[in-house]
Amino acid sequence: MYKAATGEKLNLDNPITFNEKLWWLKINYRHPLMTQCSDKVKVRDYIEDIGLGHILNDIEGVYSKVDDIPFDNLEGKFFIKCNHVSGTNVVYDSNKKHNFDHIDFKKRFNLALSKNYYQQSREWNYKNIKPKIIVEKFIETESELLDYRFFCFHGEAKLIFVDINTAADNGSHNPYAKRNIYDKYFKLQNFTVGRENFDESLVTKPKNLEKMIEYAELIAQPFIFCRVDLYNIKNEIKFGEITFYPGGGTQQFSSEEADLMVSSWLEVL
């Protein structure tokens, strides 16, 4: 999988690049909290336990089967996703319920519930997650929703990936999403990873950036490496998710120098 995505041979005996170190961790590192924190339902308990329950988004319910979702009782706009995979998302708006394709929804989510994400890229932390469907409150914003993705190394936030236009109108992943990369002082970096830059004038430094970093580092504290995703809605911080192997360990840096700099922050041997 790594060679197909990157064209390179994976070096696990002496990992040098950031992606090689992610794969080394994927195969060798087993923190007992990682399965819980990869489960989009059970991670909420972890966030509560560390005293950050106030940054959790409201949920309508958690369901084991597609047919259990009470669509007739849902009033408003919701984001529906699975707890055990990436990319299976949809937006449901009760005010536009006649435009919602229930047949396609059932087909896609039934398929997702039958899958074990571990089989896709050997991310062991997904292997023992019991599949569920989460219906959560849709986060409304006046402008484009920004994903603030804090890359935390040994508990310290070193980089912030700010992604824009990550979701299409129907909730699915947007292949045309763009990304800027900043340091912890919100200085734009001169490299890209996986996505093209957007116009930096579209985003300014959040007034509560220090608080966001504080929360991200508290969440990341137990782990050698993780990415903590947060939202910032009118200076109100909301938790997104924790990711341990961004891009499955295959997203390419635009420069070798940047790759080695980021890799140097991650000690795995």
Side-chain angles (χ1 to χ4, degrees), residues 1-245:
M1 177 183 174
Y2 179 83
K3 189 170 185 179
T6 68
E8 303 289 337
K9 183 179 179 180
L10 186 61
N11 179 0
L12 293 176
D13 294 326
N14 182 32
I16 302 298
T17 68
F18 177 62
N19 280 328
E20 286 176 341
K21 289 184 178 181
L22 285 186
W23 278 83
W24 190 95
L25 290 174
K26 190 185 296 189
I27 294 169
N28 295 285
Y29 179 62
R30 301 285 189 272
H31 193 289
L33 277 173
M34 288 175 66
T35 293
Q36 177 184 355
C37 288
S38 299
D39 184 328
K40 295 179 179 64
V41 173
K42 292 186 177 180
V43 69
R44 296 174 62 87
D45 293 332
Y46 170 71
I47 299 300
E48 290 271 10
D49 290 343
I50 62 174
L52 295 180
H54 61 283
I55 70 171
L56 292 170
N57 193 25
D58 295 333
I59 62 172
E60 181 71 17
V62 177
Y63 309 95
S64 298
K65 297 184 295 185
V66 171
D67 291 336
D68 290 341
I69 301 174
F71 281 104
D72 290 341
N73 297 328
L74 295 180
E75 294 293 335
K77 196 172 182 180
F78 301 90
F79 195 78
I80 305 176
K81 61 187 180 183
C82 287
N83 68 320
H84 68 300
V85 295
S86 175
T88 305
N89 315 309
V90 69
V91 173
Y92 176 77
D93 187 345
S94 64
N95 295 316
K96 302 177 181 178
K97 63 177 64 177
H98 299 299
N99 296 329
F100 188 76
D101 190 337
H102 285 273
I103 295 176
D104 179 70
F105 170 77
K106 286 185 177 183
K107 181 179 179 181
R108 291 195 299 114
F109 275 71
N110 278 329
L111 178 62
L113 290 174
S114 71
K115 287 187 173 182
N116 189 321
Y117 198 57
Y118 165 76
Q119 302 296 335
Q120 182 169 318
S121 65
R122 289 302 188 267
E123 296 187 26
W124 71 273
N125 42 305
Y126 286 100
K127 188 174 183 179
N128 295 315
I129 296 176
K130 188 174 182 180
K132 301 282 186 180
I133 298 172
I134 311 165
V135 178
E136 67 178 19
K137 179 182 177 182
F138 187 84
I139 299 177
E140 296 283 2
T141 59
E142 294 178 352
S143 56
E144 201 64 48
L145 182 66
L146 300 175
D147 290 87
Y148 294 88
R149 301 178 172 186
F150 294 81
F151 278 57
C152 298
F153 300 78
H154 307 279
E156 180 182 355
K158 303 279 281 185
L159 288 176
I160 309 167
F161 284 34
V162 180
D163 286 26
I164 194 169
N165 298 321
T166 54
D169 291 341
N170 64 359
S172 63
H173 278 184
N174 178 11
Y176 305 106
K178 294 187 177 183
R179 164 184 297 152
N180 283 357
I181 301 173
Y182 301 86
D183 65 13
K184 66 189 302 181
Y185 306 103
F186 221 70
K187 179 182 178 182
L188 182 65
Q189 303 298 286
N190 63 352
F191 63 92
T192 62
V193 180
R195 292 174 174 169
E196 297 179 359
N197 283 137
F198 58 83
D199 183 348
E200 62 178 304
S201 68
L202 296 174
V203 174
T204 58
K205 179 181 177 180
K207 294 180 180 179
N208 57 351
L209 179 62
E210 290 185 3
K211 180 62 68 174
M212 295 179 77
I213 292 173
E214 176 188 332
Y215 289 171
E217 292 183 341
L218 178 59
I219 292 168
Q221 193 277 326
F223 309 111
I224 290 178
F225 169 80
C226 71
R227 190 191 81 199
V228 178
D229 294 0
L230 301 175
Y231 302 105
N232 197 344
I233 316 301
K234 296 181 179 179
N235 293 320
E236 182 180 0
I237 300 168
K238 290 293 184 182
F239 173 74
E241 64 181 33
I242 305 173
T243 298
F244 294 101
Y245 313 107

